Amino acid sequence: MKIHSITLKNFLCYYSNNKIIFKDGLNLVLGSNGYGKSKLYDAFQWVFKDGITDDLIHGDERNPGNIKKTENLKRTLISDKALAETKNTEIVSCEVIIEVSYSEHIHYQLKRKYSVQRISNVEWKEPVTSTFELFKKDVTSYITISDEYEKDRILETLIPTGVRPYVWFQGERGVNNIIDISSAKSLRTVIKQLSDIEIWEDYIDIAKKLASDVKKEYELAIKTSKSYNDNVEKLLEDKNYLESQLTQKEQLLTETEDRLTKLTKKRELLIANLSTAQKIEKERLKKDNKISHLIEVNRKIDFFYSTFPQNLFKKYWLLMNTDNLLNKYAEKYNNYQKLVIDRQVSILASEKINSLPQGVPEPVHVNNMLEDEHCYVCDRPARKGTPEYAAIEKKIDTSRNDKENKKDIEKQLRLFLNSGYILSDKFKNTEEDITNIIEEKDSLVERRKDLEADIAAIENEIQNEINNSGIDQATDIINSFEEAEDDIRKCSQNLGKLQGEIERIKGSLQSNSFNISRLTKGEIKPDLEEKKKLTEDLVDSTIRIKESQYSELIKLLEKKSNEHYERINKPTGAFYGKIRFTETSNDGYRPEIIDDTQKKVSNLNTSQTSSLKLAIIMAIITANQSIDNAARYPLISDAPISDFDALKSKSFLVEVANTFSQSIIIVKDYLKEEANSSNRYSLDIERLQELQELLKTNSKLLNIVHLNIPEGLVVTNRETLSIDIKQIGAI
Amino acid sequence: MPAIDRLKILLSDSELKKNYQISDEKIQSITMTPSSDELENEEMMIILVRELVKKQSEDIPNKTAASKLYTILDSRLPKYLERKK
């Protein structure tokens, strides 16, 4: 099929009549965001599928096609501007006409139309169906094809339903719907859809049914044989039991395989966010670590403030710089001592002349003198109540009190001086101590500032990552990923266990069959034995052949994928590796990128993943050698290169042009915002010329269509919106 | 893929070739519509595989195809075994 043109009348944002002419080669439709690119893709879908891509259910597993039908879209299919201009009772329609040819002489026109009538300002009469008309060109005019069956047949001939998803797709989501690389069975499904491999599965089915009929005949023959006895009956019972066990285990195996596929898919989905989640988690751990440090620093600062006043006393810091006082006191104490000695000397001198020296006589003698009422110093009586007695009495008090008082004062003064000396030792390093501890505190305050700044920076980093990725439950993602990994490991182990059990049951069945035939030897007719052997061998053979056919197709697909993959990636100069389809334990194949050492490359970026998928999709088309799909069906893709840089976009477009005889690629690339007018874009002529030159080297043509909006309009005001289509052609 | 190619592929299965002595020459020269003489001398497995490929191409349900194959096998096998003796 070749697409010649598409006409959009009041369809979505395409107000009034808009016609785009397509040519052989690469048709590049360029438009910025909101300029009708996806709506153009929707127009193709609407004509062929009576529905458009439903963004709301994007990614819903229940509806992988994501198609919303006319019955659910109704007047939203019609341009808001056209609806706004429609008066009460008036009818307004949208329609899309696609002109195609199947061969040089067979041309068709496909037209889908939907009309509504305005009842009031807010009410509309909206039918649930659109009308589809198909016309065949007859020399100069178009003849209507009214037979519904014929219409379906022609549509299927133009582009088979099974092929359409591989040649018509939208960006990443479309690619994901076509080929889900996380599902090991995806490639088998692809092979099944695009090859005649199903016929081999039919052969297996027929052979199994035939073998089952023969088996029934064989068992009946055993039961009616003369040798049939308890032993044979027991063996037959065992056989039935083993067969039911086998069916059960095989069912379990299928369920486990499905579970493994789902888990693998879940893991793949999580992997996409894992590195970001790990980064966020790492930052959080870093933040927690910093917070722990901050708490410790704060504790030390608090300790400083709480212990400083205590240390003024405990560590005698208050006495700092009081050395001069001690010196003064020591000087005074020395003077005092000197004074005391001098005074004692003078007292002694005077007492020697005039009286008894201090402390003489001893108290015991004084007491004796008082008892005897006699002074033995001057040897004369001293009667109680006489002045002499009183003089002796006085001697007792004076000697005792004077001595004690003097000693006490002296002691206190001496102690005070000694304490001063002891203390002076303790506070001699106080200044240094205080300087050190204050420096330490200042350094802690600085550290606190740094830590607070670090924590704020980490928090900022975390928030940026969350905003950019939309991941706010990083821990959940990491935990879910680990759980999925664990479940996959367990599931794979179960799978291996089940496969082992199935093999054992098959072995038991074989020996059971051998025992039955041994016990009934000679009883079963040779032709029945032969029939049984033939049909069982046929089953085995068809199974083996189907597998080898799959394997060959997979190898071919791998080869073709690599050819496309290399051509898309090589010009970029970046590492791209090689695609390998690895057989999985659950009987599927998973595409992987391997490096030169044959090791799987993990954590592919979106650009690598997209080019991997696009290369496989191209290979699905080009590997099918029985039909030249690439030449027969045009590729229509909306935003397939959104993940690519300029170099890769260019090599992808060249590859598309070289692979498909006609392709319509709708992108926002190759445009430049006009300097003097925001929201208006002009073509990036330099890059387009470069692309055109590259295509020319392979004799491929470039046809450019530019989607813009009329000056003065804004894409957000849908009631005035229309699209300005410029048919640029070649540069 | 034409039915004859699928027939050749099926007969090329190594186990089948070994167990039923199917030579490469035979595979190369095999046809979907052998003459009665050729049919008379053919291995039963070859006949069976040919019928399988043929019946599947008739666009009939697999169950019906299996029944037809059973009838063919049933009717040809005694003669084949007789000939083998």
Side-chain angles (χ1 to χ4, degrees):
Chain A
M1 177 176 80
K2 181 184 164 185
I3 299 174
H4 295 274
S5 70
I6 186 166
T7 304
L8 308 102
K9 186 189 164 195
N10 291 335
F11 180 74
L12 298 171
C13 60
Y14 288 89
Y15 172 72
S16 194
N17 259 312
N18 304 271
K19 187 171 185 176
I20 301 174
I21 310 282
F22 298 109
K23 295 179 180 170
D24 281 339
L26 175 64
N27 293 273
L28 211 49
V29 182
L30 311 173
S32 188
N33 287 338
Y35 284 51
K37 293 191 310 297
S38 297
K39 310 299 178 212
L40 174 61
Y41 180 82
D42 283 338
F44 284 103
Q45 288 208 95
W46 190 54
V47 171
F48 279 84
K49 296 186 191 174
D50 193 22
I52 65 172
T53 306
D54 186 0
D55 290 321
L56 291 175
I57 52 170
H58 161 54
D60 190 337
E61 282 181 8
R62 289 166 298 175
N63 186 5
N66 288 355
I67 291 294
K68 197 171 184 180
K69 298 294 234 181
T70 297
E71 62 191 80
N72 299 316
L73 293 158
K74 294 184 179 171
R75 74 171 188 279
T76 59
L77 283 165
I78 303 171
S79 148
D80 284 338
K81 189 177 179 185
L83 287 172
E85 287 173 358
T86 306
K87 295 185 177 67
N88 285 354
T89 73
E90 280 182 357
I91 290 172
V92 62
S93 310
C94 69
E95 65 180 40
V96 177
I97 302 165
I98 302 176
E99 288 183 307
V100 299
S101 60
Y102 183 64
S103 65
E104 201 183 336
H105 304 292
I106 306 175
H107 287 242
Y108 295 104
Q109 195 182 69
L110 319 170
K111 181 171 144 186
R112 193 171 288 279
K113 187 175 178 177
Y114 181 72
S115 308
V116 295
Q117 186 182 20
R118 181 162 218 152
I119 308 293
S120 69
N121 283 349
V122 289
E123 279 182 287
W124 296 84
K125 191 178 175 185
E126 298 170 287
V128 289
T129 53
S130 61
T131 55
F132 177 69
E133 291 174 283
L134 202 153
F135 307 94
K136 188 175 180 184
K137 196 173 183 182
D138 179 26
V139 190
T140 52
S141 61
Y142 280 100
I143 301 162
T144 310
I145 294 171
S146 46
D147 181 68
E148 291 302 319
Y149 177 79
E150 183 61 5
K151 275 196 220 175
D152 288 343
R153 192 196 62 77
I154 292 170
L155 282 184
E156 195 62 19
T157 311
L158 288 171
I159 181 156
T161 321
V163 173
R164 206 182 297 149
Y166 300 93
V167 286
W168 292 7
F169 56 86
Q170 274 185 299
E172 181 63 16
R173 60 180 173 174
V175 174
N176 276 335
N177 286 339
I178 302 163
I179 175 159
D180 177 5
I181 62 167
S182 63
S183 163
K185 287 192 175 166
S186 189
L187 283 179
R188 275 192 176 263
T189 314
V190 162
I191 295 283
K192 205 182 265 189
Q193 281 177 350
L194 286 181
S195 70
D196 55 2
I197 196 81
E198 265 186 332
I199 211 164
W200 301 99
E201 289 182 354
D202 279 346
Y203 291 162
I204 296 172
D205 191 39
I206 295 168
K208 277 185 175 172
K209 282 184 166 66
L210 174 66
S212 164
D213 289 346
V214 173
K215 187 184 134 197
K216 279 177 200 158
E217 189 188 349
Y218 186 80
E219 280 178 9
L220 188 68
I222 291 170
K223 282 187 178 177
T224 51
S225 70
K226 281 180 193 165
S227 327
Y228 182 74
N229 54 28
D230 287 350
N231 287 341
V232 179
E233 192 174 343
K234 173 78 177 55
L235 282 168
L236 280 174
E237 265 174 28
D238 288 351
K239 190 183 179 192
N240 285 336
Y241 173 74
L242 286 168
E243 278 172 350
S244 73
Q245 282 285 301
L246 186 66
T247 314
Q248 210 178 328
K249 296 286 176 192
E250 278 173 343
Q251 174 68 25
L252 213 55
L253 184 79
T254 312
E255 284 168 13
T256 313
E257 281 169 356
D258 289 347
R259 181 165 153 68
L260 187 64
T261 303
K262 279 180 190 157
L263 284 168
T264 313
K265 193 171 180 179
K266 183 183 168 187
R267 182 180 62 178
E268 292 292 329
L269 285 171
L270 289 166
I271 273 182
N273 291 325
L274 187 67
S275 61
T276 312
Q278 281 172 333
K279 195 176 171 188
I280 291 172
E281 200 52 23
K282 198 177 158 190
E283 291 296 318
R284 279 194 180 139
L285 284 175
K286 223 159 98 182
K287 185 182 143 193
D288 289 347
N289 192 25
K290 295 267 179 192
I291 288 173
S292 301
H293 277 140
L294 183 65
I295 290 169
E296 181 60 20
V297 166
N298 278 333
R299 195 192 59 75
K300 283 181 180 170
I301 292 171
D302 289 347
F303 182 74
F304 166 83
Y305 283 113
S306 65
T307 54
F308 195 86
Q310 291 170 13
N311 286 340
L312 286 174
F313 298 94
K314 276 189 181 172
K315 296 191 174 178
Y316 311 102
W317 289 351
L318 266 179
L319 298 175
M320 189 178 75
N321 295 330
T322 56
D323 311 50
N324 55 337
L325 289 176
L326 179 66
N327 293 337
K328 274 183 191 170
Y329 175 76
E331 194 185 325
K332 284 189 178 178
Y333 180 79
N334 288 335
N335 290 341
Y336 159 77
Q337 265 210 326
K338 200 177 164 192
L339 203 68
V340 168
I341 290 165
D342 288 350
R343 188 180 289 166
Q344 277 178 347
V345 169
S346 81
I347 288 168
L348 274 173
S350 73
E351 277 182 351
K352 260 184 186 174
I353 302 163
N354 300 318
S355 63
L356 289 168
Q358 203 161 9
V360 177
E362 289 294 318
V364 64
H365 300 303
V366 176
N367 285 336
N368 287 338
M369 285 193 286
L370 287 172
E371 260 181 41
D372 297 345
E373 295 181 9
H374 185 91
C375 175
Y376 293 111
V377 176
C378 49
D379 194 21
R380 56 182 178 185
R383 301 287 171 219
K384 205 172 185 177
T386 63
E388 286 80 9
Y389 188 90
I392 297 167
E393 241 182 3
K394 201 176 172 185
K395 198 73 186 171
I396 289 173
D397 293 333
T398 310
S399 67
R400 186 168 58 228
N401 291 339
D402 280 359
K403 208 174 180 181
E404 279 177 6
N405 282 345
K406 280 175 190 167
K407 275 187 180 171
D408 194 42
I409 290 166
E410 267 182 47
K411 192 181 168 189
Q412 291 302 320
L413 290 172
R414 195 170 58 247
L415 273 173
F416 194 58
L417 181 65
N418 287 340
S419 301
Y421 282 130
I422 293 164
L423 282 174
S424 74
D425 255 3
K426 288 186 176 170
F427 67 78
K428 72 179 174 192
N429 295 324
T430 298
E431 194 167 353
E432 198 185 331
D433 285 352
I434 293 176
T435 309
N436 286 343
I437 209 160
I438 287 178
E439 273 177 5
E440 194 188 337
K441 186 264 299 176
D442 289 345
S443 135
L444 285 168
V445 170
E446 278 304 307
R447 176 93 185 107
R448 177 165 67 184
K449 273 187 199 164
D450 290 347
L451 283 168
E452 282 170 349
D454 287 352
I455 291 166
I458 295 169
E459 268 173 0
N460 199 28
E461 180 69 21
I462 292 172
Q463 204 48 52
N464 279 345
E465 284 293 338
I466 290 172
N467 292 343
N468 291 339
S469 62
I471 297 167
D472 56 352
Q473 302 297 330
T475 321
D476 289 353
I477 289 175
I478 293 167
N479 290 342
S480 300
F481 179 77
E482 283 166 2
E483 273 170 28
E485 284 273 29
D486 196 39
D487 288 346
I488 285 171
R489 189 180 47 75
K490 285 179 190 160
C491 208
S492 301
Q493 281 172 352
N494 275 346
L495 211 62
K497 203 174 146 193
L498 279 169
Q499 280 162 342
E501 282 173 9
I502 287 169
E503 283 312 307
R504 273 196 299 280
I505 294 171
K506 280 181 178 172
S508 301
L509 266 170
Q510 226 170 3
S511 96
N512 173 284
S513 295
F514 173 75
N515 287 334
I516 291 171
S517 65
R518 191 169 52 85
L519 286 174
T520 57
K521 199 168 171 63
E523 290 286 327
I524 308 297
K525 282 183 188 170
D527 60 338
L528 189 51
E529 294 274 10
E530 183 70 17
K531 214 194 280 186
K532 186 169 169 279
K533 186 178 179 305
L534 276 165
T535 53
E536 283 172 355
D537 284 352
L538 187 66
V539 171
D540 292 345
S541 161
T542 49
I543 290 172
R544 277 193 300 271
I545 292 293
K546 188 204 83 176
E547 279 313 307
S548 71
Q549 288 293 300
Y550 259 122
S551 173
E552 272 184 34
L553 285 166
I554 288 286
K555 269 185 210 156
L556 178 66
L557 194 64
E558 185 184 85
K559 182 175 166 271
K560 289 281 176 184
S561 298
N562 269 308
E563 287 169 11
H564 293 295
Y565 186 68
E566 187 178 348
R567 285 194 290 264
I568 294 170
N569 286 286
K570 198 173 184 179
T572 66
F575 167 80
Y576 57 94
K578 222 175 158 186
I579 300 171
R580 180 177 64 192
F581 292 160
T582 307
E583 199 165 358
T584 60
S585 59
N586 58 343
D587 202 28
Y589 291 87
R590 182 169 292 115
E592 295 170 345
I593 298 292
I594 52 165
D595 60 18
D596 292 344
T597 61
Q598 304 294 306
K599 277 187 188 155
K600 181 189 168 186
V601 180
S602 306
N603 299 326
L604 298 175
N605 60 37
T606 46
S607 166
Q608 285 169 314
T609 313
S610 294
S611 60
L612 162 72
K613 290 175 187 172
L614 287 167
I616 296 172
I617 286 166
M618 281 196 211
I620 288 165
I621 299 301
T622 53
N624 197 335
Q625 291 170 328
S626 57
I627 318 162
D628 188 1
N629 285 326
R632 184 180 281 185
Y633 308 116
L635 178 79
I636 305 178
S637 182
D638 173 26
I641 54 175
S642 50
D643 293 324
F644 294 171
D645 59 19
L647 269 175
K648 203 160 172 174
S649 297
K650 188 170 66 184
S651 53
F652 170 77
L653 292 173
V654 171
E655 184 62 11
V656 163
N658 289 339
T659 306
F660 294 87
S661 57
Q662 188 189 36
S663 52
I664 299 168
I665 306 289
I666 311 165
V667 288
K668 64 175 178 183
D669 213 351
Y670 292 93
L671 291 172
K672 287 195 288 197
E673 192 167 6
E674 287 176 10
N676 52 355
S677 179
S678 66
N679 290 325
R680 286 191 61 77
Y681 296 84
S682 56
L683 302 178
D684 188 339
I685 301 291
E686 206 178 312
R687 285 182 61 209
L688 284 167
Q689 273 174 338
E690 194 191 350
L691 176 66
Q692 187 172 264
E693 287 309 310
L694 275 169
L695 296 181
K696 261 187 195 170
T697 57
N698 289 305
S699 312
K700 299 288 175 184
L701 297 175
L702 177 65
N703 177 40
I704 297 162
V705 178
H706 185 195
L707 306 178
N708 223 330
I709 56 169
E711 205 153 355
L713 294 187
V714 283
V715 286
T716 47
N717 189 349
R718 291 170 57 88
E719 289 204 351
T720 57
L721 187 63
S722 63
I723 303 294
D724 185 11
I725 298 171
K726 277 191 186 148
Q727 202 79 47
I728 309 289
I731 292 285
Chain B
M1 188 187 288
I4 181 68
D5 289 346
R6 287 198 295 271
L7 172 64
K8 286 180 180 180
I9 289 171
L10 269 167
L11 293 178
S12 303
D13 174 47
S14 55
E15 291 288 311
L16 227 57
K17 276 172 73 180
K18 190 175 80 185
N19 294 343
Y20 295 92
Q21 284 109 43
I22 304 168
S23 67
D24 287 335
E25 291 75 30
K26 175 66 198 168
I27 295 170
Q28 285 304 313
S29 62
I30 200 153
T31 60
M32 288 299 285
T33 48
S35 65
S36 356
D37 284 350
E38 284 172 318
L39 200 59
E40 276 297 310
N41 295 312
E42 260 176 4
E43 250 302 328
M44 194 60 222
M45 182 53 97
I46 297 178
I47 299 167
L48 203 56
V49 172
R50 184 189 287 117
E51 290 303 322
L52 172 69
V53 174
K54 209 188 274 180
K55 292 300 162 203
Q56 208 284 331
S57 310
E58 284 175 3
D59 198 21
I60 51 171
N62 290 350
K63 201 175 173 182
T64 316
S67 299
K68 285 191 173 183
L69 236 68
Y70 185 87
T71 315
I72 291 162
L73 181 64
D74 228 14
S75 62
R76 291 199 190 276
L77 196 62
K79 279 185 189 173
Y80 167 72
L81 290 175
E82 192 63 34
R83 198 172 67 239
K84 263 181 101 179
K85 280 179 191 171

